Amino acid sequence: MPKINIICGDAIEELGKLDSNSVDLIIADPPYNLGKDYGNNHDLKNFDEYLEFTTLWLSQAKRVLKKDGTIYVFMGVRFISYLYAILERELKLSFNSWICWHYTQGLGKTKGFSPRHDDILMFTKSKKFNFYLDNIRIPQKYYRSRNNMRGANPGDVWLFSHVHYCNENRQKHPTQKPEGLIERMVLASSCENDFVVDPFSGSGTTLRVCQQLKRICLGIELNPEYVENTNKRLAQKFTGFDSIDERMSRIPYDLNDEKTRNEYLRNHEKWFLNNHPNALEKFYKEAKVKYDYDYNDTKVETEMSLFSFMNEKI
Ligand SMILES: C[S@@+](CC[C@H](N)C(=O)[O-])C[C@H]1O[C@@H](n2cnc3c(N)ncnc32)[C@H](O)[C@@H]1O
């Protein structure tokens, strides 16, 4: 099987063809039943039909997931409580996190509060599961000797703006998700060569992220036009993911000791900006402004690292 593969078909049917206990990670962004136009399929079922559809594809997802596997499911506010009940009460999956994706901009309501978030539920098949925190840490705000300078847990409110129409990675798809958001899930819950499945792959965001992070990935998508566009997207040159958590390039205050500062700043790039060459310029500028630090001039003097105990954990 090729490392990155996309099938044009129905999620329930195609998941049904996969072996039980074979998938490490599922990232699912199903239609939210809000009437979106997905070309050859219209996202509007009656209420009970939608719940039945959700239960059916999730039952297959549970079956194919390995015992230590993880599933992330996106959902809008209208159906999130029903989704939670299906995952926990009907399918007896194990709750881990309720993530709020805060996207900062969107339509304005004149009566009521304008929606500014989607939710993502993270469940695992059992209590024994893999989670690689060191791969998704965010920089600390301050240097303190007691702080873990390798970074902090990013928390469960994730701020990523939508991929705007002016972004060069914007695809012809109405609900394209930011790559930075998917990157965090893939890094947190899988290793290189793990098997990742996205049953509603849309514009191919999960496939693109997995391609760059060296996972094996299968996408399933009902609309052949989106499948064709995904294949084009996968063939494009990579210049960095299309979005990043803004906190990734923040530089801690109080890095007053020169040796510690030099070493921290060297490591910062590797720890937090690995898949984001397009974010480096902003980071270098901030280092210059905050600490008059110049990347080309500064050399790390010894191999012996102040942060070596943290390096071992990467
Ligand atoms: C919310 S979008 C996914 C967007 C995707 N995460 C991205 O970043 O582009 C949902 C996708 O599911 C597809 N879809 C709808 N019903 C489906 C089904 N039964 N099986 C597979 N795909 C389906 C739609 O065509 C749509 O592209």
Side-chain angles (χ1 to χ4, degrees):
M1 180 162 121
K3 272 206 141 191
I4 305 294
N5 193 15
I6 180 162
I7 295 175
C8 188
D10 170 67
I12 299 169
E13 220 176 289
E14 297 302 328
L15 283 171
K17 295 178 188 165
L18 298 181
D19 290 342
S20 300
N21 305 313
S22 62
V23 178
D24 296 284
L25 169 64
I26 296 176
I27 296 177
D29 179 20
Y32 292 1
N33 209 31
L34 296 177
K36 285 269 175 210
D37 179 3
Y38 290 121
N40 74 343
N41 64 95
H42 189 52
D43 166 35
L44 203 54
K45 301 184 185 333
N46 80 38
F47 192 85
D48 290 332
E49 249 176 21
Y50 184 69
L51 293 188
E52 195 192 334
F53 163 75
T54 304
T55 308
L56 283 175
W57 78 257
L58 279 171
S59 305
Q60 285 300 329
K62 176 186 172 182
R63 182 186 64 76
V64 301
L65 211 53
K66 287 185 184 167
K67 289 211 166 59
D68 58 359
T70 300
I71 178 166
Y72 293 83
V73 190
F74 285 77
M75 191 44 65
V77 288
R78 179 71 187 84
F79 283 93
I80 188 75
S81 54
Y82 299 96
L83 175 69
Y84 189 105
I86 293 171
L87 287 162
E88 190 169 73
R89 298 203 63 174
E90 287 189 39
L91 298 178
K92 311 269 183 275
L93 290 164
S94 178
F95 171 72
N96 184 280
S97 298
W98 186 310
I99 298 156
C100 167
W101 168 35
H102 173 36
Y103 44 69
T104 68
Q105 287 172 313
L107 292 175
K109 262 190 181 179
T110 51
K111 279 189 172 178
F113 300 97
S114 301
R116 290 293 177 267
H117 75 277
D118 281 0
D119 292 301
I120 304 162
L121 297 181
M122 174 192 167
F123 276 72
T124 58
K125 191 153 170 180
S126 69
K127 294 277 178 213
K128 189 182 154 290
F129 62 97
N130 301 312
F131 191 79
Y132 306 100
L133 178 60
D134 280 338
N135 294 342
I136 51 146
R137 288 181 184 277
I138 57 161
Q140 299 281 3
K141 270 191 190 162
Y142 296 93
Y143 172 75
R144 299 280 180 267
S145 55
R146 66 171 180 276
N147 278 359
N148 181 351
M149 296 311 291
R150 177 61 188 81
N153 186 307
D156 58 7
V157 178
W158 298 1
L159 193 156
F160 289 90
S161 69
H162 282 293
V163 187
H164 293 296
Y165 288 96
C166 56
N167 189 314
E168 60 183 25
N169 192 41
R170 176 70 209 194
Q171 309 292 315
K172 283 192 199 129
H173 192 284
T175 57
Q176 178 185 351
K177 298 299 179 293
E179 289 173 351
L181 191 73
I182 306 292
E183 176 196 11
R184 183 170 284 159
M185 299 173 197
V186 172
L187 288 176
S189 300
S190 69
C191 297
E192 280 190 17
N193 292 316
D194 274 0
F195 185 26
V196 181
V197 172
D198 180 342
F200 305 94
S201 62
S203 66
T205 311
T206 305
L207 291 133
R208 179 60 161 168
V209 171
C210 285
Q211 178 192 47
Q212 298 307 320
L213 299 180
K214 302 185 173 59
R215 271 60 174 176
I216 297 166
C217 184
L218 172 69
I220 303 164
E221 168 55 52
L222 205 51
N223 185 334
E225 229 176 275
Y226 297 155
V227 172
E228 202 184 315
N229 293 343
T230 295
N231 283 323
K232 286 187 195 145
R233 181 176 179 180
L234 290 169
Q236 271 165 13
K237 188 170 170 265
F238 181 70
T239 54
F241 288 135
D242 62 23
S243 45
I244 186 167
D245 181 327
E246 290 292 320
R247 296 172 297 178
M248 286 303 198
S249 34
R250 80 179 170 199
I251 298 175
Y253 290 99
D254 299 346
L255 274 169
N256 299 325
D257 172 68
E258 193 183 350
K259 189 162 186 245
T260 310
R261 178 171 66 241
N262 286 350
E263 194 174 327
Y264 173 82
L265 289 172
R266 281 282 154 200
N267 278 318
H268 188 118
E269 203 175 309
K270 178 177 70 194
W271 288 341
F272 306 113
L273 299 170
N274 227 346
N275 305 302
H276 297 269
N278 42 1
L280 287 176
E281 201 182 317
K282 183 170 167 245
F283 169 67
Y284 294 149
K285 265 192 200 149
E286 194 176 336
K288 181 81 184 155
V289 170
K290 218 170 202 167
Y291 291 112
D292 197 24
Y293 181 90
D294 196 323
Y295 263 76
N296 297 324
D297 296 351
T298 318
K299 302 242 174 336
V300 177
E301 281 155 20
T302 69
E303 280 299 304
M304 190 57 204
S305 166
L306 291 168
F307 299 111
S308 58
F309 68 99
M310 294 166 191
N311 284 334
E312 281 162 22
K313 290 199 288 176
I314 300 173

